[in-house]
Amino acid sequence: LTARTAHNLHMAIGISGEVGELVEALFEKQAAKRRQDVLEELGALTFYLTGLGEVEECGYGSTASMSTNQIIFEMTKTSGSILDWAKREAIYGKEMDLAVLGRKVAYMKWLVHTTARKFDFTHEQIKAANVAKLSERYKSLSYSNTQAQERADKGRQLGQRSKKKKAKKKSATAT
């Protein structure tokens, strides 16, 4: 892997993972937590999309007509396509058409915008929430594996479940 292909693969994996986390957030039953989780996941998704490069925003039409399920389907499909693009570039050494990638990233950004509109979030709110989260996680304001694993903004290490999720799983297996 070159530095560029490793970066692109990292961003594509991040996009795919954040889409999955956004889907979880969209189905959170508690409204206040759902709103907070959606804001956080939109910020993380925007971060990874931006990491693939700045693209011109494309107008795909009105955001009002898409249902949440349609958005989830389109995000899942498009993030998978971006991940496949990164795999071909990083693993197979295939030169990729950056214009095609740009259109996919622009479409994902439009889907993020569409989701944000459903929650009355602005781009500025999404960016500010993500900056606040990352500033708490990375106190030195630079990336380190240790800080990424410690997840200071979450109060637990990467891979550890929250106490609430552990209790819920324990309760479910006890019955």
Side-chain angles (χ1 to χ4, degrees):
L1 292 177
T2 67
R4 181 180 62 89
T5 59
H7 171 80
N8 289 345
L9 188 58
H10 177 204
M11 296 300 107
I13 290 168
I15 290 166
S16 188
E18 295 304 334
V19 166
E21 290 182 16
L22 178 60
V23 170
E24 276 188 66
L26 288 167
F27 287 99
E28 167 62 44
K29 292 189 185 332
Q30 184 186 15
K33 182 169 178 9
R34 178 176 52 247
R35 185 172 171 76
Q36 182 59 41
D37 289 355
V38 167
L39 178 63
E40 181 177 329
E41 300 313 333
L42 290 175
L45 192 50
T46 299
F47 170 84
Y48 286 113
L49 287 165
T50 302
L52 282 179
E54 291 296 325
V55 295
E56 286 186 37
E57 295 297 325
C58 297
Y60 285 97
S62 170
T63 62
S65 63
M66 281 191 102
S67 71
T68 300
N69 286 343
Q70 287 173 306
I71 294 168
I72 290 168
F73 175 78
E74 290 297 323
M75 279 188 171
T76 303
K77 181 177 73 170
T78 307
S79 68
S81 180
I82 291 170
L83 185 56
D84 192 53
W85 168 87
K87 174 196 73 178
R88 289 176 188 177
E89 179 192 47
I91 307 304
Y92 306 149
K94 184 174 181 183
E95 277 297 314
M96 301 307 291
D97 185 342
L98 295 179
V100 172
L101 174 66
R103 285 192 298 275
K104 291 176 188 302
V105 170
Y107 185 55
M108 282 293 289
K109 285 185 173 187
W110 180 81
L111 291 166
V112 166
H113 173 76
T114 300
T115 307
R117 292 276 312 265
K118 288 185 176 295
F119 286 84
D120 294 321
F121 293 136
T122 65
H123 176 71
E124 291 74 26
Q125 287 173 303
I126 293 168
K127 184 177 176 181
N130 200 44
V131 166
K133 176 186 83 171
L134 294 176
S135 296
E136 186 176 345
R137 184 176 296 172
Y138 303 105
K139 298 288 186 196
S140 64
L141 299 181
S142 64
Y143 176 85
S144 79
N145 286 340
T146 301
Q147 292 177 88
Q149 292 172 16
E150 288 174 352
R151 295 284 202 244
D153 58 304
K154 301 282 187 191
R156 64 180 188 276
Q157 286 218 331
L158 184 62
Q160 289 181 333
R161 290 186 172 181
S162 69
K163 289 178 185 178
K164 184 178 177 183
K165 282 186 180 179
K166 281 182 185 177
K168 191 175 184 180
K169 182 172 180 154
K170 191 174 184 179
S171 166
T173 57
T175 56

